[in-house]
Amino acid sequence: MQLIARRALLRMATALTATLITVAGTTVAASAQPIPEIASPVATGRPVPDQGNQDRKPAPKPQTDPAAHGVGSPTKCSEPNADGNRSCIEFGSRDTPPRGVLPQERGLSAAITPPQWCDQARDQVWATRTQACIWTTLTYTTQRVVNGQTTTTGEAQMTIMQYNYTDPGMGRYGHQIDTSMYSGWGDATKATIDGQGTLAGPCTRNGATFPQKPLSPANSWQTGESFYDTTATAPGATGTCETMWYLTFTNAPYSPAVTSRSMKEVRCDNATAGRPVVGCVVPWAASDLVYTRTATPELADHVAKAQATGLPSRLTRTENQTIIDSNRTKACGSAPSVPNKSCDEYPIASSHQGLNAGGTRRTHPGCGFTGVPAGTGPTGVSVCMIAAPDNNSQGGTNTQFFRRERVLENDPFNVVVR
C-alpha cells in the first residue's frame, strides 16, 4: 500500500450542462446545479484497509450480472452542437488493453494504489473484507454530423477502474476512481476529464476531488478520490450506501459527454457484538477463520477430517441463539463422557450449516462416539471428542474473529486449518 500526502484543497466541481448524454444510468440534465466545494477529510481520517494480511484473499462477487456494470452497453451520443459536433461513449472494449495498463503498474499520484489482484476484476467486482475493485473499458468518440452524414474524427480507448476501501474500526470509507487512455487517435485524444462524487443512501460525503486533466499522453492516469461517512451509527444500526462518480469529457468544439460509475459494496454498522464502535466492511467477501495445528491440534485435526468428508469450508454466520443452541444440542447433546475431553461439532454451531438445517451426524475413528456412523457429503455435522482446552480456545477464537471482521447474520466466512 502506498499512502501519498493528501491534496491540500478540493476544487469546485463543475455544473452539468444541458447537453449531457445518458450513459450507464446517468440521466440527461436540463439545468443541474454545481456541487459546492467541501472540506477535505483530516489527515488521520483516511480508512486503512488491511493489505498485508495474507488471509485476505480476493474473491469475485457471487451472482454478479455483467449488464449491471454497463458491459457491452450501446453507444450513447450527445446532441450535435450548432456546428454539428458531438461526442459519444460506449462501455465494453473493442480491443483488449495491453499488459501494464492497470493501476498497480503505473506511477499514480493517488491516495492508495489499488492492490495487484484488482487486475482480475474486469467487468466483475472482486473483493476482500476491506477492499473491492472493478474495472472496465470505455470508448470515447468524437464525431461531426453534416447533412445527416456522420464522420468520426477521433477515438480514445480507456480503462476505468473503481476501488472501494474500508476500515473495520472506522465509519468512513473511500471510493476512488482511476482512468487512463491506453490508445487513441484524432480529436478524441484532445479531451480532458474530470469528476464529481455523489451518493444515495445512509451516508454523507466527507470529501471528493477529481481535478480536470487531459487524456493525453496515452497510459497517463487521472484519479478521483472521495470519502463517505455512514449515518448508520445508532446502536444496532447497519447501512449500505451507493456512491457514484460522474465523469465529464470536455473537448471543444464538441459537445461534452458525461457518464457515471457506481459501487455499492460497503456495509457499515454499529451492530457488531462486543465492538461498540462503528466500522465498515465488504459484507459478501469472506475472511478466513483459522485454526492452527500448533495452537489447537485436536480441534484442527477434527475440522480437517470433517472437511475431507465433504462438509463445507465456506459457512454463513447465525447470531440467532435459538439456532445456535439447537445446533449444539442436536450435535453434542448425547456426547459420551470422556475425561479431559469435550464434544466438538463441525460445521460450528454459530453457522447456518449446523444440524438445525437438517442432516445427520457422522464421526471418525478415535473420536469416542459409538453408534454414530462415518459419512460423506455436504450436509450434516461431524462430531468428535477433543481436548477440552482446544474446545474452550475455539470459542474465544470464533468470538474474536467475528468481532474483528464484523461478521454479522448471514455473512459468509471460510474455516481454514493451518
Side-chain angles (χ1 to χ4, degrees):
M1 178 175 68
Q2 299 175 359
L3 296 178
I4 311 300
R6 178 176 304 282
R7 299 177 178 92
L9 296 175
L10 300 178
R11 60 182 291 272
M12 181 81 73
T14 56
L16 301 180
T17 65
T19 54
L20 304 187
I21 61 173
T22 302
V23 180
T26 304
T27 56
V28 175
S31 57
Q33 299 298 313
I35 298 176
E37 186 174 5
I38 52 180
S40 170
V42 295
T44 58
R46 184 188 298 281
V48 180
D50 184 355
Q51 294 181 313
N53 188 338
Q54 294 305 306
D55 293 341
R56 298 178 184 273
K57 298 179 177 65
K61 188 172 186 178
Q63 300 177 344
T64 295
D65 179 7
H69 301 294
V71 179
S73 62
T75 302
K76 302 291 185 179
C77 297
S78 60
E79 290 297 322
N81 60 21
D83 297 321
N85 298 323
R86 69 180 184 183
S87 51
C88 305
I89 290 177
E90 177 185 8
F91 279 97
S93 63
R94 300 176 186 178
D95 56 16
T96 301
R99 177 175 173 79
V101 301
L102 293 186
Q104 69 271 8
E105 301 183 34
R106 81 318 190 212
L108 175 67
S109 58
I112 289 186
T113 297
Q116 188 171 2
W117 50 259
C118 284
D119 63 2
Q120 302 175 81
R122 182 169 186 175
D123 298 328
Q124 183 179 34
V125 180
W126 282 65
T128 66
R129 198 70 177 170
T130 60
Q131 302 171 87
C133 290
I134 181 172
W135 68 273
T136 189
T137 54
L138 175 152
T139 302
Y140 167 71
T141 305
T142 52
Q143 296 179 344
R144 182 171 292 113
V145 181
V146 178
N147 296 325
Q149 298 296 314
T150 301
T151 302
T152 297
T153 59
E155 282 189 353
Q157 305 286 330
M158 301 186 63
T159 301
I160 309 290
M161 172 171 276
Q162 296 186 87
Y163 173 51
N164 270 168
Y165 59 99
T166 76
D167 188 321
M170 180 184 293
R172 178 174 298 164
Y173 57 98
H175 183 178
Q176 182 171 303
I177 191 163
D178 301 318
T179 70
S180 178
M181 179 182 71
Y182 58 85
S183 66
W185 61 273
D187 285 353
T189 63
K190 301 174 184 178
T192 62
I193 186 172
D194 67 284
Q196 300 178 45
T198 187
L199 60 92
C203 62
T204 60
R205 191 181 59 179
N206 179 272
T209 180
F210 191 149
Q212 191 173 60
K213 293 184 179 179
L215 298 187
S216 296
N219 298 320
S220 60
W221 284 87
Q222 306 82 29
T223 299
E225 54 174 335
S226 56
F227 299 91
Y228 299 88
D229 291 334
T230 182
T231 56
T233 57
T238 63
T240 301
C241 187
E242 182 176 18
T243 58
M244 292 157 277
W245 277 104
Y246 286 85
L247 303 177
T248 302
F249 293 80
T250 303
N251 190 359
Y254 298 90
S255 52
V258 171
T259 187
S260 66
R261 298 281 84 187
S262 66
M263 295 189 81
K264 195 176 183 180
E265 308 307 322
V266 176
R267 180 193 68 203
C268 300
D269 79 86
N270 191 9
T272 300
R275 194 169 187 180
V277 295
V278 178
C280 303
V281 295
V282 179
W284 56 265
S287 291
D288 292 349
L289 169 58
V290 179
Y291 302 137
T292 66
R293 296 184 183 276
T294 53
T296 52
E298 292 190 20
L299 169 64
D301 182 66
H302 175 223
V303 172
K305 288 178 178 177
Q307 291 179 347
T309 66
L311 292 172
S313 60
R314 173 67 60 90
L315 306 178
T316 54
R317 173 89 191 275
T318 180
E319 298 180 279
N320 186 314
Q321 194 60 47
T322 299
I323 294 176
I324 294 171
D325 292 343
S326 176
N327 285 337
R328 286 178 176 151
T329 299
K330 291 178 178 180
C332 292
S334 60
S337 178
V338 180
N340 302 318
K341 291 185 180 289
S342 61
C343 177
D344 179 56
E345 75 275 8
Y346 184 85
I348 65 175
S350 50
S351 75
H352 282 289
Q353 285 69 38
L355 275 183
N356 190 73
T360 58
R361 295 193 302 173
R362 70 186 67 164
T363 192
H364 313 274
C367 278
F369 279 81
T370 59
V372 176
T376 60
T379 60
V381 299
S382 173
V383 291
C384 189
M385 302 300 293
I386 67 171
D390 281 21
N391 220 354
N392 294 337
S393 176
Q394 180 190 28
T397 298
N398 293 354
T399 297
Q400 292 173 17
F401 169 78
F402 292 143
R403 184 179 301 164
R404 182 182 67 248
E405 303 297 309
R406 310 193 82 94
V407 181
L408 303 182
E409 180 72 25
N410 292 321
D411 281 3
F413 61 97
N414 303 315
V415 179
V416 176
V417 173
R418 291 193 180 133

